Amino acid sequence: EQAVAVIEELRATLAGPGELRQLFLENKLDPYRLLSGLCLSLGRSEEALAWSERARARLLSDMLAAGRVDPDATLTAEERARQEELRRELAEAGRLARAEAPAAEAEARRARLFVVTRGAGGAPRLSAFTLPTPPAELRRLVRAFRSALESRDLEAAGQAERLHAAVLGPAREVLAGTTDWTVAPDGPLWELPFQALAPARGRFLAEDRALTLAPSL
């Protein structure tokens, strides 16, 4: 939490267009993801989702602001000094996080799936799952699938089934009977054509579900 607080304070001091803040944040999302994973491992699903969405919301707001000029385009000497102080705090917070939680870090980095459905009385019901496939392997599978689709490779059919099982399989029971989905992908899943996934051989997800993509909740 200390690392996130420092990142966000430093991000807020950056002068210039939103693109600068976006680039600053892109390689500093680990603390958000680690917090999300740690909360999930403790059974605190709502907090886990909140941390995950917080990172996405920050990045999205910076993307939307990219190209717009910040009216406070220059920093005073005092502001520059504070910026340097925050950078040192950020480095120290990262060092402490790595030293204090090495065992939990690998588990916290695993990909997660959050499913929000309509529960009793219309109230939202949250279910959270840890995907068995590591993010790096997911990225490889997604890119191989897209390549197979683009080249009309017959291997795409099997890949569509495997990816469906890897990404949505853990939530099979929760998703059963649902028909309208809003999907907010993250990481390598932004490149995944969900409509082309196959719950069964020869049947595409788009045949059973109405799919809408959203940048975040």
Side-chain angles (χ1 to χ4, degrees):
E1 290 177 349
Q2 178 189 358
V4 169
V6 171
I7 288 170
E8 295 195 347
E9 186 174 351
L10 181 55
R11 169 183 170 273
T13 69
L14 292 175
E19 184 179 2
L20 181 61
R21 290 192 294 275
Q22 177 190 344
L23 293 172
F24 167 79
L25 190 59
E26 277 182 352
N27 65 348
K28 297 176 180 65
L29 297 178
D30 272 358
Y32 297 88
R33 291 169 177 158
L34 289 169
L35 276 167
S36 180
L38 290 170
C39 287
L40 190 57
S41 69
L42 294 171
R44 291 150 57 176
S45 300
E46 291 187 8
E47 288 182 64
L49 176 60
W51 283 114
S52 176
E53 281 298 303
R54 183 166 170 175
R56 291 149 60 83
R58 296 293 186 275
L59 197 57
L60 176 62
S61 67
D62 290 343
M63 290 172 64
L64 293 174
R68 300 175 187 171
V69 177
D70 192 314
D72 300 321
T74 59
L75 294 177
T76 65
E78 182 181 349
E79 289 169 337
R80 283 194 291 271
R82 178 56 179 156
Q83 193 173 60
E84 287 303 313
E85 181 185 351
L86 286 169
R87 286 199 179 101
R88 289 193 295 271
E89 290 181 15
L90 176 60
E92 177 62 12
R95 186 190 68 78
L96 289 174
R98 289 190 295 272
E100 292 174 1
E105 186 169 347
E107 178 61 25
R109 286 182 185 277
R110 297 187 71 87
R112 288 169 292 279
L113 170 64
F114 296 98
V115 180
V116 181
T117 54
R118 185 179 293 110
R125 181 181 64 183
L126 173 65
S127 303
F129 308 89
T130 297
L131 300 186
T133 308
E137 177 64 8
L138 271 180
R139 180 176 290 105
R140 187 192 70 77
L141 291 174
V142 168
R143 290 180 177 172
F145 180 47
R146 288 179 60 93
S147 177
L149 288 175
E150 291 167 2
S151 62
R152 299 180 181 272
D153 191 330
L154 294 179
E155 288 294 319
Q159 293 172 335
E161 289 184 78
R162 288 193 291 273
L163 268 170
H164 183 277
V167 176
L168 301 173
R172 184 179 293 106
E173 293 183 7
V174 174
L175 295 172
T178 59
T179 57
D180 299 299
W181 291 6
T182 298
V183 180
D186 196 15
L189 298 185
W190 269 113
E191 301 178 32
L192 177 62
F194 281 84
Q195 292 88 340
L197 295 180
R201 180 58 61 98
R203 187 164 189 84
F204 297 110
L205 191 61
E207 296 180 72
D208 301 321
R209 309 285 192 262
L211 299 174
T212 302
L213 289 181
S216 71
L217 291 184

